[in-house]
Amino acid sequence: MQALVCRAPGELVLEERPVPGEPPAGWALVGVSHVGICGTDYHIFEGKHPFLEYPRVMGHEVSGTVLKAGEGVSLPVGETVVINPYIACGTCIACRKGKPNCCTKIQVLGVHTDGAMCEEILVPAGNLYPANGLSAADAATVEFLAIGAHAVRRSLTPSGSRALVIGAGPIGIGTAIFSRIAGHEVTLLDMSAERLDFAARELGFSSTIGPDVPAAEGVSHATGGEGFDVVFDATGNTASIKSSFAHVAHGGALVIVSVVKDDISFSDPEFHKREMMVIGSRNATREDFDHVAESIRNGLVPLDRIVTHRTTLGEAPGDLARWAHEKSGLIKAVIAVGE
């Protein structure tokens, strides 16, 4: 089969690799249909991922079709599925608590193990969710949107609350969409006027704070000096996360959606007097995947505007390398593998 392999930072090639073979008990062989390109994939290509071994087949935002089912697997051959790429151990403390998204031994497809930028892949059947009417192209967007949906669910913030999403990249946009679906009044903050213009023009997020106004001033103006009931930081930027504490209202919450390698420090008196919550949000669970899929089916997610770039497996080596640097107009790119 053909596989897109990142042999080393900056070296992306299409290779012939052996097909995976027969699925063992509890697993299924999936023919890959579509794969979304994530910020993590660009980081892998650029050599910026701190815990990755090369060569690596990337790709964790995946849809496909069941080709063969191992013993004990009830999914029928031909079923279109969404792949949950977080392979959990099933026995650790997180898994026992129903939180396989933060399994202590988690293996993420395309990061810790080879992913789905290839024609076929073996996956545990428990990580395959029927698309139930979603097109294969739409099904490949469910995983990245589930990150934001999970963050919103983790926030425990009721409808009618004022929400600030910091970072208008794909994860931030997904978070903003599901914050809006949850009934929040959403404001987007980003240092890119282009991204904020896109979010306002194409996605209907008219309340924004951009680079022309100091963030603290913009937050004060948007909330009458009270701060936001919930703040989601999706920037992956240490300074942004540290400053986001000050944007939270008394009694509010900060949800850190992105992750950085640095220590995060904050003023304890400011934190304490607000009685605010700080919540980590990692990956997503079946509940979030199902919520995203249902929201797409109900027309609540404008995928036709979010997916801005498309390519094929054969063209992906050049396109992915170019898009790693040419970000203008790029929100989400999807590779068609099995069309």
Side-chain angles (χ1 to χ4, degrees):
M1 67 173 183
Q2 286 195 315
L4 185 62
V5 183
C6 191
R7 290 177 175 170
E11 185 181 353
L12 197 59
V13 297
L14 207 57
E15 286 185 0
E16 286 290 327
R17 285 198 166 190
V19 295
E22 294 294 315
W27 289 57
L29 178 66
V30 177
V32 177
S33 177
H34 291 76
V35 184
I37 303 176
C38 174
T40 298
D41 300 320
Y42 295 121
H43 289 157
I44 291 170
F45 171 72
E46 294 173 315
K48 296 179 180 178
H49 197 290
F51 308 116
L52 187 115
E53 295 182 2
Y54 297 89
R56 177 63 71 224
V57 177
M58 301 178 292
H60 61 272
E61 303 175 4
V62 196
S63 68
T65 303
V66 177
L67 300 179
K68 293 182 181 179
E71 182 182 348
V73 176
S74 59
L75 285 166
V77 171
E79 179 89 67
T80 300
V81 292
V82 177
I83 295 181
N84 178 335
Y86 322 126
I87 313 300
C89 73
T91 59
C92 74
I93 185 170
C95 289
R96 296 197 307 271
K97 290 180 177 180
K99 294 175 66 69
N101 58 301
C102 59
C103 167
T104 63
K105 301 174 184 176
I106 199 166
Q107 296 282 295
V108 180
L109 295 178
V111 180
H112 304 100
T113 186
D114 279 343
M117 289 187 186
C118 58
E119 293 181 301
E120 297 181 4
I121 188 170
L122 286 171
V123 184
N127 287 71
L128 301 177
Y129 307 151
N132 289 333
L134 289 185
S135 70
D138 288 353
T141 67
V142 171
E143 188 276 339
F144 98 85
L145 291 166
I147 301 294
H150 184 71
V152 172
R153 183 164 63 87
R154 289 275 293 150
S155 77
L156 305 174
T157 303
S159 177
S161 300
R162 290 184 296 206
L164 176 67
V165 177
I166 308 175
I171 297 301
I173 284 175
T175 303
I177 286 170
F178 281 89
S179 182
R180 180 167 62 189
I181 289 171
H184 302 160
E185 299 173 14
V186 181
T187 296
L188 274 170
L189 189 158
D190 199 281
M191 292 298 100
S192 169
E194 179 186 3
R195 289 204 171 214
L196 292 180
D197 179 65
F198 172 87
R201 183 183 68 253
E202 301 292 340
L203 306 177
F205 291 105
S206 57
S207 178
T208 61
I209 301 170
D212 54 334
V213 177
E217 181 181 324
V219 168
S220 179
H221 182 265
T223 62
E226 292 184 326
F228 285 90
D229 301 305
V230 61
V231 175
F232 301 95
D233 192 288
T235 64
N237 180 279
T238 302
S240 174
I241 295 172
K242 289 182 177 181
S243 64
S244 64
F245 282 78
H247 304 329
V248 179
H250 283 237
L254 168 63
V255 183
I256 302 177
V257 189
S258 56
V259 62
V260 296
K261 291 179 64 177
D262 303 312
D263 292 337
I264 301 298
S265 60
F266 56 91
S267 166
D268 184 63
E270 291 296 320
F271 167 78
H272 194 83
K273 77 179 184 182
R274 286 170 166 78
E275 197 184 52
M276 63 179 282
M277 294 188 295
V278 180
I279 301 168
S281 182
R282 186 182 185 191
N283 299 328
T285 65
R286 175 67 184 267
E287 181 178 349
D288 307 305
F289 278 74
D290 288 345
H291 177 39
V292 170
E294 186 64 20
S295 297
I296 294 172
R297 282 190 286 269
N298 290 336
L300 299 176
V301 184
L303 289 178
D304 58 330
R305 280 158 278 178
I306 294 172
V307 179
T308 55
H309 292 55
R310 298 182 185 273
T311 188
T312 64
L313 192 62
E315 295 170 340
D319 286 340
L320 194 154
R322 186 173 69 259
W323 295 334
H325 306 287
E326 295 179 6
K327 299 295 188 183
S328 181
L330 174 64
I331 300 298
K332 174 56 61 175
V334 174
I335 302 170
V337 176
E339 276 191 328

